Amino acid sequence: MKLSRLALSTLFLIIIVGSIPLFAGFSITNRYGVSMDVLWYGSIPSEFHHDPLPIRSHLSIGGTFTPAVFPIGDTVELSAGLSGYYTTRSIVFGTTFWRPFMAFGTSIDMSLYISPSFVGKIGTALLLGMYLPTWELAPIWRLQLAGEYALTEQSQRNRWFVRIPISVDIRSDYISVFAGIGFSCRINRLIAKEQNR
Amino acid sequence: MYIGLDYHYTISVESNDNTYNLSNITGPIQDIKEVAVAIEQLKSERYFSQGGSSILLVEEEDFDAPVQLLPTQNGIKNRIETYYKGNSNEITENDIFLLYYTGHGGSADMPMIVASEGSPVGEVITKKEITDWVKPIQGKKIIILDSCFSGQVVDEYPREPDERDIGSYVPGTFFLSASAASQTAKEARFIEIDHRHGFFSYYFLRAIGWNHSPEATSQMEIGTGEHMRDITVPGRIDFPTLNGGVMSLGDIYRYISDYFRFTERWITYQTPQTTLGPIDLILFQQ
């Protein structure tokens, strides 16, 4: 687990840092994106926690900034971004609750343009979570599926989507599942086209 | 259960063929009296309406004070153990058992060092004894120690699967310590309130809303007939760690740690410890 975590974080870092010169220079990527989600977040206690509840409910809010988008053909694109989420403490049960935390990290997504209006996404992220009362750090491996439906026309520079993400957070001590609703926006860069005179 | 011990003479402790001489300290009695009154106040109908019985074990020099002293002939350690065993059945799954200890602690598995009045030799309560005593108690347990090297009682949270086999982590038992396992815990006379406290207890009291302002005085009855002397009880107080209707262990830990770090500027000098992991304990709830 520790080795795979290290390998994944190294890979993500290389992709994110390596992509910076691409969009700082000329256009291998001509698009970037932002997304924001509001989610129900359910933490599933492990057996050793001896928790009386099978799942602890939180609210989570956050998003991803995707500075690097790599088209692969006409219908597939690969994107890398930076994600940040805040998850509230769980609903109180008895004399306990589960602590609130923040999580930041890098993500990679693959988008499949199923139709002009609908996009399917599969992605993964490696996040560093921090429980806010104790400042305790905990690595999180996130797996995400999302469906996105276009709200605006393809020809526009800013294209808005409504999205429904479903995700799993894997920690070494417990697993969380979450789902919700969000919006994303893909912004095409203004690229001057060369013309013969 | 509140335990506060005065050490108004130097005591010696024998452990592992070594003898440790511990200096006199006078802050613990004031710590424990104020902690006891503050928590009893918070439990009352005036604030959080949380019932429950309490016992205050205090040993101090002034035998004429209207505070029931521990019967020194029985030894403090025996008294504490007897209390644990005698009361563990009365605590239900929905209750919280709280132990707050202020006094000396030593390195090498000596988190609590209790002394008998007039005796130059102290007795050690080990981490295993503390955890074994609370194990049969139903409900959630919180153990707060304001003593040197008190971080040694705080269990490691078993984040990795192989750490769970060790079995030192006890679910439902929470710890809060004044210092890390290798650090001493300090006390001082605080000018603004004109009496002594351990730094940890001073900020713990502030965290739960004890503002030391003498808006009222009270003679409280705690536990089995022990009485507090007249002591200041705050009137309307603010609760800096009341967050969304609950006062949690994590928020109290954060409050104390922030004051140590940013006000006292103690980065590595004295760092409180608490039980890590995702689960937090609610001490008071509106």
Side-chain angles (χ1 to χ4, degrees):
Chain A
M1 184 70 183
K2 283 176 184 169
L3 194 65
S4 60
R5 200 183 295 155
L6 188 67
L8 265 176
S9 57
T10 307
L11 176 70
F12 280 29
L13 196 66
I14 289 168
I15 292 169
I16 294 294
V17 173
S19 65
I20 290 171
L22 300 181
F23 67 88
F26 47 90
S27 61
I28 285 179
T29 170
N30 60 358
R31 183 187 295 164
Y32 59 97
V34 290
S35 67
M36 174 134 319
D37 302 321
V38 178
L39 307 142
W40 165 83
Y41 191 98
S43 299
I44 302 170
S46 296
E47 196 177 339
F48 79 93
H49 287 125
H50 288 230
D51 200 278
L53 290 180
I55 195 162
R56 293 278 187 161
S57 290
H58 313 245
L59 186 70
S60 187
I61 186 165
T64 300
F65 172 62
T66 310
V69 180
F70 307 96
I72 304 171
D74 292 335
T75 57
V76 178
E77 62 186 27
L78 201 64
S79 55
L82 300 170
S83 295
Y85 283 82
Y86 166 71
T87 303
T88 65
R89 73 178 187 214
S90 73
I91 294 170
V92 170
F93 180 80
T95 53
T96 58
F97 62 83
W98 281 42
R99 288 173 171 150
F101 65 91
M102 296 189 82
F104 294 97
T106 53
S107 63
I108 293 177
D109 294 296
M110 191 173 76
S111 303
L112 178 64
Y113 286 80
I114 296 164
S115 74
S117 300
F118 188 75
V119 184
K121 286 186 106 169
I122 182 167
T124 183
L126 200 74
L127 308 170
L128 191 60
M130 185 177 77
Y131 293 111
L132 295 178
T134 54
W135 289 7
E136 177 194 3
L137 300 174
I140 302 167
W141 182 28
R142 177 169 293 184
L143 302 171
Q144 189 170 71
L145 283 172
E148 298 190 344
Y149 185 78
L151 298 173
T152 51
E153 293 298 318
Q154 196 167 8
S155 57
Q156 293 182 337
R157 186 185 170 217
N158 300 338
R159 199 158 186 228
W160 286 89
F161 293 80
V162 60
R163 52 187 255 118
I164 297 179
I166 301 169
S167 306
V168 178
D169 272 0
I170 300 169
R171 297 170 174 84
S172 55
D173 50 340
Y174 67 97
I175 288 175
S176 304
V177 292
F178 51 107
I181 190 164
F183 292 93
S184 68
C185 182
R186 270 158 233 186
I187 302 153
N188 290 311
R189 294 174 200 281
L190 290 174
I191 299 169
K193 290 184 179 175
E194 293 177 1
Q195 288 182 314
N196 293 325
R197 302 184 75 178
Chain B
M1 182 181 206
Y2 312 102
I3 306 168
L5 304 174
D6 236 349
Y7 304 81
H8 40 83
Y9 46 83
T10 300
I11 61 166
S12 62
V13 187
E14 291 172 359
S15 174
N16 299 330
D17 300 327
N18 290 317
T19 301
Y20 300 88
N21 291 315
L22 301 171
S23 60
N24 60 320
I25 51 173
T26 55
I29 293 293
Q30 195 63 40
D31 288 340
I32 208 65
K33 282 180 181 174
E34 293 190 28
V35 166
V37 172
I39 291 178
E40 292 304 306
Q41 283 286 307
L42 293 179
K43 280 165 58 182
S44 71
E45 287 182 9
R46 186 177 179 188
Y47 296 111
F48 292 101
S49 302
Q50 288 176 208
S53 60
S54 305
I55 186 165
L56 173 70
L57 302 182
V58 185
E59 184 179 57
E60 64 179 342
E61 191 174 20
D62 183 4
F63 281 88
D64 295 326
V67 175
Q68 184 181 322
L69 298 169
L70 293 170
T72 53
Q73 65 272 24
N74 292 335
I76 298 165
K77 186 173 176 177
N78 283 343
R79 176 85 185 268
I80 296 169
E81 188 176 5
T82 304
Y83 176 80
Y84 269 121
K85 290 178 177 170
N87 291 274
S88 60
N89 292 337
E90 294 174 16
I91 300 167
T92 69
E93 275 188 17
N94 299 321
D95 293 331
I96 297 174
F97 171 81
L98 181 144
L99 166 70
Y100 197 114
Y101 166 77
T102 61
H104 266 310
S107 59
D109 201 14
M110 298 192 292
M112 293 170 70
I113 298 174
V114 296
S116 295
E117 184 66 37
S119 167
V121 179
E123 274 190 287
V124 172
I125 299 176
T126 65
K127 181 190 173 180
K128 186 174 185 309
E129 285 171 324
I130 296 171
T131 48
D132 283 352
W133 289 346
V134 299
K135 212 170 264 179
I137 296 174
Q138 304 259 323
K140 300 290 183 284
K141 282 95 65 172
I142 174 165
I143 294 163
I144 304 174
L145 302 185
D146 185 359
S147 57
C148 292
F149 311 107
S150 47
Q152 62 193 294
V153 301
V154 180
D155 287 323
E156 287 283 326
Y157 175 71
R159 186 166 302 287
E160 302 297 331
D162 54 348
E163 294 166 349
R164 279 161 224 158
D165 299 335
I166 301 166
S168 62
Y169 175 74
V170 183
T173 302
F174 298 82
F175 295 91
L176 182 59
S177 73
S179 64
S182 59
Q183 297 169 336
T184 55
K186 316 294 184 297
E187 72 165 52
R189 180 176 168 275
F190 290 81
I191 294 166
E192 65 270 27
I193 55 172
D194 197 28
H195 56 259
R196 292 185 77 82
H197 272 305
F199 277 87
F200 175 83
S201 289
Y202 176 71
Y203 286 114
F204 178 87
L205 285 163
R206 284 178 61 149
I208 62 172
W210 182 261
N211 61 6
H212 296 275
S213 65
E215 292 179 27
T217 60
S218 174
Q219 195 164 49
M220 293 195 68
E221 192 170 301
I222 297 177
T224 54
E226 284 103 344
H227 289 78
M228 300 297 297
R229 281 178 290 187
D230 279 350
I231 195 164
T232 56
V233 177
R236 181 66 205 156
I237 54 177
D238 296 318
F239 305 108
T241 53
L242 187 66
N243 182 6
V246 302
M247 201 183 286
S248 72
L249 176 67
D251 285 338
I252 292 171
Y253 164 79
R254 173 85 276 126
Y255 182 91
I256 299 169
S257 294
D258 284 351
Y259 268 97
F260 276 25
R261 186 175 288 128
F262 302 118
T263 303
E264 302 298 339
R265 305 194 177 194
W266 292 348
I267 306 298
T268 57
Y269 190 53
Q270 183 179 336
T271 48
Q273 306 290 306
T274 193
T275 304
L276 299 180
I279 307 171
D280 211 335
L281 178 73
I282 296 167
L283 289 176
F284 298 101
Q285 187 173 358
Q286 281 180 332

